[in-house]
Amino acid sequence: MIEHSVVTWPPAPIRTERLVLRQSEARDRATFIELFASPEVGTYVGGPRPRADLERTGPEVPGRRPGFFVIELDGAMIGMITLDRRAAERRGHIRPEAQETELGCMFLPQAWGHGYAAEACAAALDWFAGAQPGEPVVLCTQAANDRAMRLALKLGFAEVERFEEFGAEQWFGARFPAAAPSGT
């Protein structure tokens, strides 16, 4: 989660060549339910959640918090990106005090294979670099998730370690800000 005291939230919508990254709205609720109930999407994140439970318990405006972007294509939600603090009790950290910002994303299966995840995540990371200069970002995914692994590498994440968690091998990587020019 982005720190309130450091960043104004929500930012103005972020526009890329094809996408808009924006705050969630009530009109996105049905897509959130579809996303979290999808067996394909749930493959590497603990499985799908029961649709009836999501419809009954889901908030009117899901994801309304700092660090949470809805990804929109042609006026419709196709996925989401999160920039959250990685829980200190979880394995995988690059700082002794934990406190790293972790990138996460989920997209509807029909949005897969079009480069939307790379485009949206790159835009979110660029925004974060401007909002939190010098701060690294971490990412953790199941090592078996080939799509997420390719995306992480394309976005400039480097492997830090692998470990077992949630009954599967996890790949943990970090993306460090570019070094400032020396000025000579």
Side-chain angles (χ1 to χ4, degrees):
M1 180 177 302
I2 305 301
E3 299 295 329
H4 289 286
S5 61
V6 180
V7 175
T8 301
W9 193 267
I14 300 167
R15 299 184 187 285
T16 70
E17 184 178 327
R18 303 176 292 173
L19 307 170
V20 177
L21 284 68
R22 61 169 174 79
Q23 184 173 356
S24 63
E25 300 172 358
R27 66 184 171 112
D28 302 317
R29 188 175 191 273
T31 306
F32 274 101
I33 291 169
E34 183 180 348
L35 190 63
F36 285 99
S38 167
E40 295 87 3
V41 174
T43 299
Y44 299 107
V45 293
R49 294 188 42 209
R51 183 176 295 276
D53 290 353
L54 292 165
E55 289 173 353
R56 189 180 74 258
T57 63
E60 184 179 325
V61 183
R64 182 63 68 97
R65 62 179 172 76
F68 192 102
F69 292 98
V70 161
I71 310 307
E72 182 180 285
L73 173 68
D74 297 329
M77 178 183 171
I78 61 167
M80 58 181 245
I81 291 178
T82 58
L83 291 164
D84 290 318
R85 291 284 180 210
R86 183 161 176 82
E89 64 274 5
R90 293 202 46 212
R91 290 195 55 192
H93 291 284
I94 56 173
R95 294 180 170 162
E97 70 278 9
Q99 298 304 304
E100 304 94 348
T101 296
E102 181 173 21
L103 174 71
C105 69
M106 294 171 68
F107 285 80
L108 293 170
Q110 58 266 35
W112 297 355
H114 301 283
Y116 299 138
E119 185 176 333
C121 288
L125 289 167
D126 286 348
W127 172 83
F128 182 79
Q132 301 279 307
E135 286 295 310
V137 178
V138 298
L139 182 149
C140 191
T141 187
Q142 282 190 21
N145 188 344
D146 293 336
R147 287 180 183 271
M149 296 283 295
R150 285 193 306 271
L151 176 62
L153 296 174
K154 184 175 189 172
L155 293 170
F157 285 84
E159 183 174 335
V160 173
E161 67 176 315
R162 292 182 187 224
F163 51 84
E164 185 82 14
E165 187 178 45
F166 306 121
E169 182 184 32
Q170 304 295 316
W171 182 93
F172 178 77
R175 182 177 190 260
F176 296 92
S182 64
T184 51

